[in-house]
Amino acid sequence: MVSVDGTSHIRDVAQYAVVARRTTYAPTKNENAQAFVVGPHVSLTGILKVNGEIRIEGRLEADIRCHTLLVAPEAQIDGVIVADRIEIYGVVKGEVYCNRVVVKDNSRVEAELNYRSLELEPGAFFEGRSRRYSNPIEISPAFD
Amino acid sequence: MFNQQRTETDTLPEPKNDPVPLHAEAMVSGSAAPLSTTGSVIGSDLMILGERLQIISQDVLQIDGDVQGDVSGRRVTIGPDGSVTGTISSEHVDVFGGIRGAVRAGEVVLHPSSHVDGEIVHQSLSVAAGASFEGRVRRAKDKDELTPDLNPQARKPEDKAPLVTSLLSESTEHPH
């Protein structure tokens, strides 16, 4: 589409300006070498605490506390998530307390998002509530 | 006169090189919103207040001032200095400024400088890092649910009280 009127011009600018360019899930091997991985055929219930990165590819009904959380496209998490950073390609339900929340294209989030910085790509499904805090981790519920 | 279609549009080739417009960089920083070359602008020196106020634009509307009331338009842009307290209904809403109330639109884009406090009903929502959003989000199941009603005659203000006034009347109706 060629933009001749101001209308579509703004639209184009907006799309590029938002930065929320749709990206696909492609974790590099090296980057995640240290990550704790919950594989695609794993289903887990309980509390998961890792002082580092977690990559979820399976199904979890769990409360998670970690530094970085990567939710793969086929993954599903149901629970309370407390982390410095979360990147969601899959499904997340429950409550999220993270400094930086990135919700990717084609993901599904039905949750309460408590964040300091939120980024949502246009193809993401998000229903729920959102609230900004200077320190969202501070207000997160304590795990047993 | 704003909507004159240029007939040569169809024959123009697609731009193939750098797709990022020149002033996109300025917008990422949230320092400037694009000024549309068509449509209406509510300037930054303007403040529009009123009970059951409705602003309806048939085309593109840019708000750089402060509006207390409901806004409808085919496309609505809230500039970095603009703010709306009320409900915004549109096909596409770009937010650089502030909104307190509700947004009902097919596409909602919250830019880094935006500050939204309220409910968003959408079909597509994108939020840039740096934007502040507090409130509920719901995705409309039906696109028709979000089609803005740009016909003032068809409106019955009694049926759908604007959010601002309903909030105001709530506080006055319950003195006990």
Side-chain angles (χ1 to χ4, degrees):
Chain A
M1 268 280 290
V2 182
S3 59
V4 279
D5 59 332
T7 320
S8 48
H9 180 62
I10 293 188
R11 183 203 180 91
D12 292 346
V13 172
Q15 275 185 353
Y16 291 115
V18 171
V19 194
R21 210 172 278 207
R22 296 180 182 188
T23 47
T24 47
Y25 176 72
T28 54
K29 284 274 188 288
N30 289 343
E31 212 179 294
N32 297 294
Q34 302 296 314
F36 177 87
V37 179
V38 178
H41 306 297
V42 178
S43 76
L44 199 146
T45 311
I47 295 175
L48 191 58
K49 281 188 194 175
V50 172
N51 192 10
E53 182 176 339
I54 304 180
R55 195 165 91 224
I56 310 279
E57 290 167 357
R59 290 173 150 268
L60 266 77
E61 237 173 84
D63 294 343
I64 301 169
R65 191 182 277 269
C66 64
H67 185 267
T68 305
L69 183 65
L70 189 65
V71 185
E74 303 301 316
Q76 180 167 341
I77 302 178
D78 211 323
V80 177
I81 296 165
V82 182
D84 177 59
R85 185 192 156 95
I86 182 169
E87 207 166 304
I88 305 169
Y89 294 85
V91 180
V92 171
K93 297 180 181 181
E95 294 168 40
V96 174
Y97 299 85
C98 291
N99 287 329
R100 186 159 157 70
V101 179
V102 183
V103 184
K104 296 290 189 180
D105 189 23
N106 284 326
S107 63
R108 189 180 179 95
V109 177
E110 291 169 49
E112 192 181 296
L113 294 183
N114 302 284
Y115 66 94
R116 188 163 70 201
S117 161
L118 171 68
E119 206 175 308
L120 194 84
E121 291 188 0
F125 178 98
F126 172 38
E127 273 198 2
R129 216 171 53 79
S130 159
R131 191 141 193 209
R132 188 182 201 178
Y133 292 94
S134 56
N135 189 354
I137 292 170
E138 209 174 61
I139 59 143
S140 65
F143 291 1
D144 294 323
Chain B
M1 64 176 277
F2 288 138
N3 290 324
Q4 275 179 354
Q5 289 288 328
R6 290 183 206 173
T7 44
E8 67 267 29
T9 314
D10 300 326
T11 56
L12 280 173
E14 296 230 343
K16 286 201 175 72
N17 36 4
D18 194 7
V20 182
L22 285 173
H23 49 293
E25 208 174 298
M27 289 175 56
V28 171
S29 64
S31 58
L35 254 176
S36 59
T37 50
T38 64
S40 315
V41 177
I42 293 175
S44 55
D45 57 335
L46 207 57
M47 189 181 253
I48 302 180
L49 312 170
E51 228 175 87
R52 299 224 162 163
L53 177 83
Q54 293 185 340
I55 296 174
I56 302 170
S57 158
Q58 299 298 330
D59 197 40
V60 184
L61 176 63
Q62 169 139 355
I63 298 176
D64 291 327
D66 296 324
V67 173
Q68 282 190 16
D70 293 350
V71 177
S72 306
R74 202 171 62 74
R75 286 183 74 91
V76 177
T77 301
I78 317 293
D81 301 322
S83 76
V84 172
T85 308
T87 301
I88 299 174
S89 309
S90 178
E91 286 169 22
H92 186 111
V93 177
D94 272 299
V95 188
F96 295 86
I99 295 174
R100 186 178 284 266
V103 180
R104 302 174 57 83
E107 280 178 76
V108 182
V109 182
L110 306 188
H111 294 270
S113 55
S114 64
H115 199 104
V116 177
D117 210 336
E119 189 190 33
I120 295 180
V121 185
H122 67 96
Q123 286 234 295
S124 162
L125 168 68
S126 64
V127 180
S132 168
F133 168 53
E134 295 199 7
R136 289 178 174 282
V137 193
R138 188 166 66 83
R139 188 161 182 170
K141 285 168 189 75
D142 196 350
K143 197 168 181 161
D144 298 336
E145 193 189 327
L146 294 176
T147 308
D149 183 6
L150 303 179
N151 183 3
Q153 269 130 34
R155 285 174 173 243
K156 288 181 190 161
E158 302 85 38
D159 294 350
K160 225 167 51 176
L163 192 107
V164 190
T165 48
S166 62
L167 285 177
L168 286 173
S169 57
E170 233 171 63
S171 52
T172 50
E173 271 169 17
H174 307 286
H176 42 275

